[in-house]
Amino acid sequence: MAGSDSDARDAAELAQFGYSQSLERHTGKFASFAVAFAFVSIATGIFTTYGSVLNSSGPVGIWTWPIAVVGQLAVAFVLGALASRMPVTGYHYQWMSRLANPVLGWIIGWISFTFLAVVVVAVDYTIASTILPVLLNYEGTATIAWFVTALVLLGQFLLVALSTPWAERVNNGFVTLELIGMVALTALLFVVAAVRGGLDFSNLVSRGAVAAEGFWSFGDWTSAGPWMMGFLLGAFTIVGFESAANLAEETHDPERVVPRAMVQAVFASGVLGFLFLLAVTLAAGDPVALAESGTPIADVIENTLGSAVATLLLIMVVLAIFACGLVIMITGVRVTWAMSRDERFPGWQLWNQISPKFHTPLKAAVLYFVLAQLILAVFSQSETALFTLFGAATLLPAVMYAAAVVLYLVKRKSLPQNGKFDLGVWEMPILVIALVWLVFELALFRDSSFKEAWAYVLVMVAIGAAYLGYLMATRGRHGLSMPTMSSIDAELDAEAEKG
């Protein structure tokens, strides 16, 4: 009865935003945390980008990680405050539409969609191009990587499309394994390397093979300095934590649960990830030789703990990547469905439906799956496909975070307090840290190595702009208004009158 009462209250709060309860509420505290943690996926991010950091910044590049964690943690607090006040599926799209204006909301919604469409391919492609060839001892090719990635996408699609509870069960299980595995690996690396005398503390301040000249510089107009590029390790890994907000309409007491899940996921990922980076770097041996490896993390594990543990690591990373891609797909499908529910997504008549049999946005899932396969086909034969996909997948969330933080800064005094997640006296310090971090992060993408990532972004923005122009021409600006948007305005006006 208590659960029914709670769900009834959640449904009533959702109705204030103009929506009836159409998705089933079954997501609890751990499942919400697991969604946020799986998207961040430190096993995926560190395994994928550590080699790039060794080549661009050397081992000393790992010290960019704690700075990125502090910046992203500040962003998580700000986004958590927004999620608590607007617990509606669609996250960035909903926040911007209701607190800024529907046109800007549509733009951010489209950027969210393009990010989620590309990042699932980037993440899943890692399994096929980097991990399985080592794990199964075969020579990888672009065609094999394409085929394997397509199969991984298919498995994730079937879970997302046919059963949200089962998708969450799989994710919960894999996240639990990742947490246990990362803690165990980190402890074993420290202990075994210390016993064998293999901890090299000079690695923590080593530049590896990177030249000393200009190492600490910010770079110029078209390039970032070597150490600055190391920030991409944290910038790529610690993203997507706000995915928990995209399941707000499926979460019990989302105003309280979702923001805490976001902050806890960033904090846990940041602390555990940095300890793991320290352990790997201390046990790395010769960092110059390690930088030449395609799987440096696996090499360090194998040299320190043996081939059996290295194999277990690779299996754990495969499971972590699958969970990460699964959550990304869940999030992308929810954005598609949320925008279609408001009749603002191309072909919305099809994608706004909830399957009466599976209780999922089945048709939206089909669309997202097909688009992901198309993106995979476009990039599959490119030798720089992985870097391009990762570049776009790091750039787009930075843009979304910056928009959300600026939005909160402008609207913070008019936002009603709900007593469930407020920043209190820490609000301004947190906002300053978040803004400084995001300006710095966005400045990194001036580097010419991201030109293909920018090209993808510009193409997708152009497609979105064309459809937005069509909506504006056929409906006018007022035709893009959110459902019962007056309810939000009325609440703000009431607060102002009381003041």
Side-chain angles (χ1 to χ4, degrees), residues 253-301:
D253 193 14
E255 296 95 336
R256 191 185 308 275
V257 170
V258 167
R260 284 169 172 76
M262 292 161 56
V263 172
Q264 290 164 0
V266 174
F267 182 78
S269 299
V271 173
L272 182 54
F274 189 55
L275 290 174
F276 183 68
L277 283 170
L278 286 175
V280 168
T281 304
L282 287 169
D286 182 3
V288 176
L290 186 65
E292 298 176 359
S293 171
T295 55
I297 297 289
D299 290 353
V300 173
I301 301 297

Side-chain angles (χ1 to χ4, degrees), residues 48-132:
T48 304
T49 56
Y50 184 72
S52 297
V53 172
L54 290 179
N55 284 286
S56 67
S57 311
V60 73
I62 68 169
W63 293 102
T64 62
W65 179 273
I67 300 173
V69 169
V70 171
Q72 293 296 69
L73 189 60
V75 173
F77 272 108
V78 176
L79 268 56
L82 286 171
S84 181
R85 287 157 178 78
M86 285 173 283
V88 186
T89 296
Y91 65 165
H92 293 278
Y93 155 71
Q94 289 280 357
W95 303 335
M96 186 65 69
S97 294
R98 294 179 182 273
L99 291 181
N101 65 69
V103 174
L104 287 175
W106 193 95
I107 293 170
I108 291 298
W110 182 256
I111 290 175
S112 300
F113 172 76
T114 57
F115 159 62
L116 294 164
V118 70
V119 72
V120 70
V121 179
V123 167
D124 288 350
Y125 195 81
T126 306
I127 295 178
S129 64
T130 306
I131 303 175
L132 286 187

